[in-house]
Amino acid sequence: MQSIDVVFLTETWHDTNSIALCRLRAASFTVIDRPRPRDPSAAASASLNVNHGGVAVVAALGISLQPYVLDTKIMTFAFISVSLQSTHEKMVALVVYRTGPITSLFFSELDNLLSRVSVLKDVLIVGDFNIRLDRKKEPTTIAFIKCLSSHSFALRVH
């Protein structure tokens, strides 16, 4: 039997005080999250709708989980960056969730973010980019893989 020490979540459908994340915290898990911001101009009734699109990281006892601040403004995807440390390893993890159309701005913002973390020793990038990696000749797939490799990151999804 294996245990899971860290979970990376995308498209979380949560708000800041989500009961599911509060229960994890009460059970001694560490949670760092970034809910999708609500539209402040939406009607009051719309604020009761489920909020989709956030990201979160959950770590069990024994794993030190801290925010890793990357001072950059991103418009085309949600992301959270954290520092993880166990007794044997230390790394930075970047969790990404992309929705909406794939534009040149997305690749520009992704390139900017990757340039900030590519100088670090151990980096894990996880998430849902909503890019069809099984379609190897698709322009967005080619651009995505090129963006990763230009910062010496390797794609591990098959």
Side-chain angles (χ1 to χ4, degrees), residues 16-43:
T16 303
N17 295 318
S18 169
I19 190 69
L21 297 183
C22 288
R23 285 182 176 175
L24 287 168
R25 289 180 179 108
S28 298
F29 289 91
T30 304
V31 179
I32 297 177
D33 66 310
R34 179 173 287 164
R36 185 175 186 169
R38 291 207 183 257
D39 182 358
S41 65

Side-chain angles (χ1 to χ4, degrees), residues 96 133 135-136:
V96 175
L133 297 174
R135 297 179 180 169
K136 299 193 183 306

Side-chain angles (χ1 to χ4, degrees), residues 131-151:
I131 294 175
R132 294 290 309 263
L133 297 174
D134 59 326
R135 297 179 180 169
K136 299 193 183 306
K137 294 184 180 183
E138 188 112 355
T140 54
T141 301
I142 293 167
F144 180 69
I145 292 170
K146 182 180 177 183
C147 185
L148 289 177
S149 63
S150 72
H151 295 285

Side-chain angles (χ1 to χ4, degrees), residues 24 62 79 122:
L24 287 168
F79 84 95
D122 292 313

Side-chain angles (χ1 to χ4, degrees), residues 37 40 47 95 152 154:
S47 68
V95 184
S152 300

